[in-house]
Amino acid sequence: MLQTLVLHIAGERVELRSLPSGDLAVYHRPAEHVRALVEPVCRDRGHWNSQYNNWIVFRQFRAAVVSELEAEADHV
């Protein structure tokens, strides 16, 4: 099971972390160009957690979100 996966998207670090509930936390530092890529992948598959400034993706969408974010990752 995925514990923590670090991707680099648009030159920024994006952290995907498994939560005890089975959900997935998706975090990146505030950066509009990264948000524009990450938000559409996460929207309607979870909710924004303003306390931690991250997306909480529901477990049934984990695999799809991980796959789509990996496709957005910088391949250098």
Side-chain angles (χ1 to χ4, degrees):
M1 173 190 262
L2 169 77
Q3 292 299 315
T4 300
L5 174 64
V6 175
L7 302 173
H8 289 86
I9 298 176
E12 297 288 336
R13 179 184 169 100
V14 178
E15 184 177 303
L16 288 67
R17 185 173 48 87
S18 295
L19 299 174
S21 63
D23 294 342
L24 180 71
V26 179
Y27 171 82
H28 61 84
R29 291 183 319 126
E32 183 61 29
H33 66 287
V34 180
R35 186 206 59 77
L37 297 170
V38 172
E39 181 179 344
V41 173
C42 297
R43 183 167 298 285
D44 298 325
R45 293 174 168 172
H47 63 90
W48 176 252
N49 182 325
S50 60
Q51 180 180 359
Y52 295 104
N53 289 321
N54 66 2
W55 282 95
I56 303 299
V57 174
F58 303 131
R59 65 179 163 260
Q60 65 264 36
F61 300 113
R62 280 175 63 114
V65 167
V66 170
S67 177
E68 290 177 35
L69 290 176
E70 284 178 327
E72 293 287 349
D74 302 338
H75 300 285
V76 278

